[in-house]
């Protein structure tokens, strides 16, 4: 019997593996790949498939070994170099990933997917101009590369180029109708530009089940979701969804559901740290704790996620409800937190939660970056910092270190209520100052600024007493602090 050529047999096995992968049968494909590599350990096609399959399964170490074995056979293979770069990226080894992306592009400079992967890495490292160049290279080579267009559009948004970002996002939506990731990103860009009707509508994609980057998933409750129906005599259940700052900012709409939508009863499910403070919010009948898993679901006619409420008030004379304060601190609680010293009393907060995806841009590296402010005469400084960075106040004994002693936001509110001014980065404390009607100066990051701060504004419709000090893209924080010091001296 004559044996068929090995090349033909290998091709059939490659086709069999490809068919198994297309049918979602990864385990069978793995067995066939491993069996083949036992007999032919230097088969480059099978080594590459093994590497890709391991990487997609999250087995980074195994993927790396297969890529390296394949590269010993084909050291200049751009696909292998790009794949090995992806494994290093997945492992958080960004320097190694960049090294392999650059090697792949040197071997094949018209490799659109590698340009896109390199752009993603640069974007994540906040190397925005370099990332934009790589996205544009990918689009130049492959104009219909929708994934690269989406990545470029989010980068443009982070760079503050909102009009071009929206234009690119609209193209993605046209090319890939129903892309919920892009719809959500588009909503945030529109909100930042003041296009609130379209913005709030598109921002609902933040929880769409077919959005792979959704912020959270709506719970399945046996209650109708409120879409603006008549609430006269009805009970509305509202559930918090994201950060503490969001709850503080948007809880104002709970009162408006009663006063303007004439709901019979309003129930809030929120965060335990905010419950004592929320007792001061008028027209809320009950405040339940989201973390309480044993709590029975209250009776209600409708329910709504907190950040979906604003869209139902856009046609009112005051869509933002700038009537502050809407939260307050009782005098007896303030008495528990006496503010020492004389002169103008200013509270400071310089770090947000490290878990925030843009924290490296919005937070200061250390309290010492504010040190020049402490020489302003006739001023008493109070630390409101709780958590990350609270110990840094120990190097500044003339600051009153109250933040580390807070147990909840009612404590923070009691101190803020006694201050003349709060200065801080974009975190929940500045929202609390705004909700209490306290003058507040906010230091905004240069990159990936949050959608709630409208572009090209030094004020905000959300908080009339708030002033925004935005960092320019060619500035250090020290320049922003110098502007704040000058403003303090002019008061």
């Amino acid at each position: 019997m004559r044996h068929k050529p090995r090349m033909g047999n290998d091709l059939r096995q490659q086709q069999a593996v490809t068919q198994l992968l297309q049918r979602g049968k990864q385990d069978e494909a793995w067995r066939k790949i491993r069996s083949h590599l036992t007999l032919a350990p230097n088969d480059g096609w099978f080594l590459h498939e093994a590497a890709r399959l391991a990487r997609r399964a999250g087995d980074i170490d195994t993927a790396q070994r297969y890529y390296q074995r394949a590269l010993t056979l084909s050291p200049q293979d751009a696909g292998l170099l790009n794949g090995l770069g992806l494994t290093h990226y997945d492992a958080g080894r960004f320097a190694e990933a960049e090294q392999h992306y650059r090697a792949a592009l040197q071997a094949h400079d018209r490799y659109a997917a590698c340009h896109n992967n390199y752009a993603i890495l640069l974007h994540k490292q906040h190397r925005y101009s370099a990332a934009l160049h790589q996205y544009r290279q990918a689009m130049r080579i492959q104009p219909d590369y929708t994934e690269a267009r989406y990545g470029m559009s989010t980068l443009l948004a982070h760079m503050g180029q909102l009009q071009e970002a929206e234009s690119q996002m609209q193209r993605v939506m046209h090319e890939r109708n129903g892309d919920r990731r892009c719809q959500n990103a588009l909503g945030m860009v529109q909100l930042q530009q003041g296009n609130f009707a379209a913005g709030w509508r598109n921002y609902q994609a933040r929880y769409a089940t077919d959005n792979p980057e959704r912020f959270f998933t709506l719970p399945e409750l046996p209650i109708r979701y409120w879409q603006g129906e008549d609430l006269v005599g009805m009970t509305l259940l509202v559930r918090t969804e994201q950060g503490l700052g969001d709850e503080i900012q948007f809880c104002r709409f709970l009162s408006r559901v009663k006063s303007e939508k004439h709901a019979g009863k309003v129930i809030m499910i929120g965060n335990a740290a905010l419950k004592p403070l929320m007792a001061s919010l008028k027209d809320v009948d009950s405040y339940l704790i989201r973390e309480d898993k044993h709590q029975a679901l209250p009776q209600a006619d409708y329910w709504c996620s907190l950040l979906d409420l604003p869209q139902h008030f856009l046609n009112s004379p005051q869509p933002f409800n700038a009537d502050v304060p809407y939260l307050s601190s009782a005098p007896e609680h303030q008495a528990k937190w006496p503010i020492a010293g004389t002169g103008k009393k200013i509270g400071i907060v310089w770090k947000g939660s490290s878990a925030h995806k843009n924290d490296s841009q919005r937070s200061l590296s250390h309290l010492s970056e504010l040190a020049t402010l402490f020489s302003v005469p006739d001023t008493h400084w109070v630390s409101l910092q709780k958590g990350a960075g609270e110990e840094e106040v120990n190097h500044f004994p003339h600051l009153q270190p109250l933040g580390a002693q807070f147990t909840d936001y009612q404590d923070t509110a009691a101190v803020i209520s006694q201050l003349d001014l709060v200065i801080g980065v974009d975190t929940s404390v500045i929202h609390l100052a705004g909700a209490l009607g306290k003058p507040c100066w906010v230091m905004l990051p240069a990159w990936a600024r949050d959608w709630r701060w409208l572009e090209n504004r030094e004020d905000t419709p959300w908080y009339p007493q708030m002033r925004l000090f935005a960092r320019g893209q060619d500035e250090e924080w020290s320049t922003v602090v110098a502007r704040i010091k000058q403003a303090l001296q002019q008061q």
Side-chain angles (χ1 to χ4, degrees):
M1 179 182 293
R2 295 181 61 187
H3 294 283
K4 294 182 180 180
R6 181 175 178 81
M7 183 176 296
N9 184 53
D10 287 351
L11 180 60
R12 284 196 301 274
Q13 292 198 49
Q14 291 175 14
Q15 292 172 341
V17 168
T18 301
Q19 290 172 0
L20 288 171
L21 293 174
Q22 290 173 344
R23 289 154 56 190
K25 297 185 176 182
Q26 281 84 1
D27 290 343
E28 288 186 44
W30 256 125
R31 287 194 290 271
K32 187 170 286 291
I33 288 170
R34 284 170 171 156
S35 176
H36 181 87
L37 287 174
T38 300
L39 300 174
N42 293 326
D43 189 313
W45 188 93
F46 277 84
L47 287 171
H48 198 170
E49 285 303 301
R52 286 196 291 196
L53 195 56
R55 187 182 67 80
R56 290 169 185 165
D59 189 349
I60 303 302
D61 291 339
T62 299
Q64 184 175 339
R65 287 196 297 272
Y66 279 120
Y67 275 122
Q68 289 171 335
R69 282 175 59 183
L71 280 166
T72 60
L73 303 172
S74 303
Q76 301 301 314
D77 188 300
L80 292 172
L81 290 164
N82 175 63
L84 186 53
L86 285 169
T87 65
H88 285 299
Y89 177 85
D90 292 344
R93 298 187 290 265
F94 296 153
E96 292 88 343
E98 180 171 8
Q99 174 187 346
H100 287 92
Y101 289 152
R102 291 173 67 90
L105 292 172
Q106 186 174 5
H108 180 26
D109 64 352
R110 293 186 57 79
Y111 192 171
C114 188
H115 281 292
N116 182 60
N117 293 335
Y118 192 12
I120 292 170
L121 168 64
L122 294 167
H123 190 172
K124 190 176 185 67
Q125 292 181 311
H126 311 299
R127 295 159 64 185
Y128 295 110
S129 296
L132 183 58
H133 173 72
Q134 292 299 324
Y135 278 129
R136 292 199 189 282
Q137 286 289 91
M139 296 299 302
R140 181 181 59 82
I141 296 164
Q142 188 177 330
D144 62 346
Y145 197 165
T146 306
E147 190 65 20
R149 187 178 303 281
Y150 168 72
M152 183 173 67
S153 73
T154 62
L155 173 63
L156 289 165
H158 290 166
M159 297 176 75
Q161 299 180 31
L162 300 183
Q163 289 185 334
E164 187 178 355
E166 180 175 6
S167 175
Q168 296 294 341
M169 289 174 183
Q170 294 284 14
R171 285 194 61 177
V172 172
M173 295 292 290
H174 177 74
E175 295 169 2
R176 195 159 56 191
N177 186 30
D179 188 323
R180 300 301 187 191
R181 292 178 312 159
C182 190
Q183 183 182 354
N184 176 56
L186 176 61
M188 291 188 286
V189 166
Q190 290 170 327
L191 287 169
Q192 196 171 1
Q193 294 180 99
N195 184 358
F196 300 112
W200 285 114
R201 182 173 59 251
N202 287 318
Y203 189 51
Q204 292 180 85
R206 69 192 182 280
Y207 52 71
T209 55
D210 54 349
N211 178 358
E213 297 177 4
R214 61 185 175 272
F215 297 173
F216 63 100
T217 301
L218 288 181
E220 295 184 4
L221 303 182
I223 309 170
R224 290 172 292 177
Y225 197 81
W226 187 52
Q227 301 282 359
E229 295 90 342
D230 185 1
L231 286 176
V232 175
M234 300 287 187
T235 297
L236 179 67
L237 173 68
V238 180
R239 194 176 189 275
T240 194
E241 57 176 68
Q242 297 182 54
L244 296 172
D246 292 304
E247 184 170 337
I248 293 169
Q249 180 178 0
F250 294 103
C251 71
R252 68 185 75 191
F253 290 99
L254 298 172
S255 301
R256 300 184 70 183
V257 168
K258 268 281 188 72
S259 63
E260 298 177 39
K261 303 299 183 182
H262 310 294
K265 190 176 182 180
V266 177
I267 302 171
M268 177 69 184
I269 300 180
N271 289 285
L274 292 175
K275 183 174 183 177
L277 174 68
M278 291 297 174
S280 68
L281 185 66
K282 66 178 183 178
D283 292 331
V284 176
D285 297 280
S286 181
Y287 189 96
L288 308 176
I289 304 302
R290 181 175 60 177
E291 294 82 2
D292 186 353
K293 305 299 183 183
H294 303 291
Q295 163 179 273
L297 186 69
Q299 293 291 319
D301 299 289
Y302 294 97
W303 85 278
C304 190
S305 198
L306 180 62
L307 269 66
D308 277 348
L309 291 180
Q311 64 188 310
H312 300 297
F313 295 86
L314 292 177
N315 295 325
S316 70
Q318 288 285 347
F320 299 96
N321 189 26
D323 184 18
V324 294
Y326 54 88
L327 296 177
S328 61
S329 172
E332 59 270 21
H333 201 75
Q334 294 178 34
K336 300 176 183 178
W337 295 92
I339 307 298
T342 59
K344 180 175 289 188
K345 298 178 176 63
I346 303 179
I348 53 172
V349 58
W350 57 95
K351 286 183 186 291
S353 169
S354 59
H356 191 280
K357 63 181 180 181
N358 199 43
D359 191 61
S360 64
Q361 297 295 307
R362 67 167 183 165
S363 290
L364 302 183
S365 62
H366 195 275
L367 171 59
S368 58
E369 293 197 69
L370 295 176
T372 185
L373 300 181
F374 304 151
S375 62
V376 174
D378 196 29
T379 303
H380 178 69
W381 295 90
V382 178
S383 169
L384 304 173
Q385 189 68 38
K386 175 72 175 178
E390 67 179 34
E391 74 287 348
E392 294 168 11
V393 76
N394 297 332
H395 300 288
F396 299 88
H398 54 289
L399 269 65
Q400 190 172 357
L402 296 182
Q405 304 172 46
F406 296 157
T407 58
D408 57 37
Y409 279 78
Q410 188 178 43
D411 294 338
T412 314
V415 172
I416 290 176
S417 297
Q418 302 175 66
L419 300 174
D420 298 295
L421 174 66
V422 172
I423 298 174
V425 297
D426 183 6
T427 187
S428 60
V429 174
I430 63 98
H431 287 288
L432 179 54
L436 294 167
K438 190 63 59 177
C440 182
W441 294 357
V442 185
M443 304 170 65
L444 295 181
W447 308 97
R449 201 168 295 160
D450 197 89
W451 56 264
R452 73 200 72 213
W453 312 120
L454 302 183
E455 65 173 337
N456 302 320
R457 295 273 294 262
E458 293 184 358
D459 65 342
T460 169
W462 295 105
Y463 305 108
Q465 293 87 352
M466 191 170 281
R467 181 176 176 183
L468 307 179
F469 288 80
R471 178 182 175 184
Q473 294 181 359
D474 58 348
E475 290 182 332
E476 299 296 330
W477 277 122
S478 58
T479 306
V480 180
V481 174
R483 292 204 301 270
I484 291 174
K485 184 175 183 179
Q486 182 179 28
L488 285 173
Q489 293 169 332
Q490 291 172 346
Q491 284 191 329

